[in-house]
Amino acid sequence: MVSLDRAVVARYKHGKKIFEILVDPEGADLIKSGAKADIEDVLAADDIFVDASKGKKATEEDLMDVFSTADVSEIAEKIIKEGELQLTTDQRRKKIEEKRKMVVERIAQITINPQTHTPHPPTRIEIAMNEAKVHIDPFKSVDELVNETIKALRPIIPIKIEETKIAIKIPAMYTGQVYELKRHFDVMKEEWQKDGSFIAVVKVPAGMRDELFSFLNSITKGEAETKIVK
C-alpha cells in the first residue's frame, strides 16, 4: 500500500458512470504498460470511488453492474489498464520525454532516406518531428506513436520503412542460442540440418542489420554465416 501523499487518480468511464482509484503513479504506469505487479502494492486505498476527491465510494450494485464483480483488486486492474491515469505535470513531462526518445530511436532503426538509401540520423528525425509539431501521447504504445510520427514526417523529409531479409546459418555447437535469436529478431523461415546446424531467414529493419550481425557474432564467436537475400 502506497502513501496517499504520492497517490494520483486512475479513472474509468462507463457510459455516464465514473469509477476512480488512488494509485502510485509509477507502479500504475508499469502495469498499464504491461508489466506484472501486485495490484495491492500500487493501491493507496482499498476502495473504488465515484469521486475520490470527496471520498465518495461506489456502491456494490454499481460495481456488479459494470464490472460483474465487487473484488477491488480485479476492478482496480481493469481501471488501470483500460482507464486514464492522472499523472502530475512532472510525471507527464518525464513520460513524454521517455516516449519521444523511444520513438526517435525506433524510427532511426526501421527507416531510411529513399533518396540516399541510408538511415536518417536521430537528430534529423527530432528536428523533423519539431517541424511537423508531432504530439507524443504518453499513454499510447511506441508502435502506435511510431506509425503516427512517420506519417507526420513524410511531408517534411523523404522517409521509407525498409526491411532486409538475411539468410543465416548457425553451426551445430552454437544452436543452443537459437532461442535467443528468436526472442530478439523476426525469424521468418527456419530449418534444422542433418549435421545439427540451424539455418533461417531473418527479417530486420534496415537500420538494425549491424545489430543482428553483432548479435550473431557474439553467440557464435564469429562463426555464423550470413547472406543478404533482399
Side-chain angles (χ1 to χ4, degrees), residues 100 125-134 153:
R100 187 180 183 87
I125 294 171
E126 288 189 76
I127 292 172
M129 287 173 67
N130 290 334
E131 291 179 22
K133 295 182 170 59
V134 171
L153 295 185

Side-chain angles (χ1 to χ4, degrees), residues 92-154:
R92 187 178 184 85
R93 176 189 57 76
K94 182 179 179 182
K95 188 68 177 175
I96 289 174
E97 289 177 354
E98 290 174 349
K99 279 288 178 73
R100 187 180 183 87
K101 182 179 179 181
M102 293 169 70
V103 168
V104 170
E105 290 177 349
R106 179 73 64 81
I107 291 175
Q109 289 179 331
I110 70 173
T111 66
I112 63 168
N113 179 338
Q115 297 176 349
T116 62
H117 298 285
T118 58
H120 284 289
T123 302
R124 182 68 187 96
I125 294 171
E126 288 189 76
I127 292 172
M129 287 173 67
N130 290 334
E131 291 179 22
K133 295 182 170 59
V134 171
H135 169 70
I136 298 295
D137 185 331
F139 298 113
K140 287 186 176 181
S141 69
V142 173
D143 288 341
E144 190 174 2
L145 289 170
V146 165
N147 289 333
E148 291 178 357
T149 301
I150 290 174
K151 288 180 182 179
L153 295 185
R154 286 200 168 109

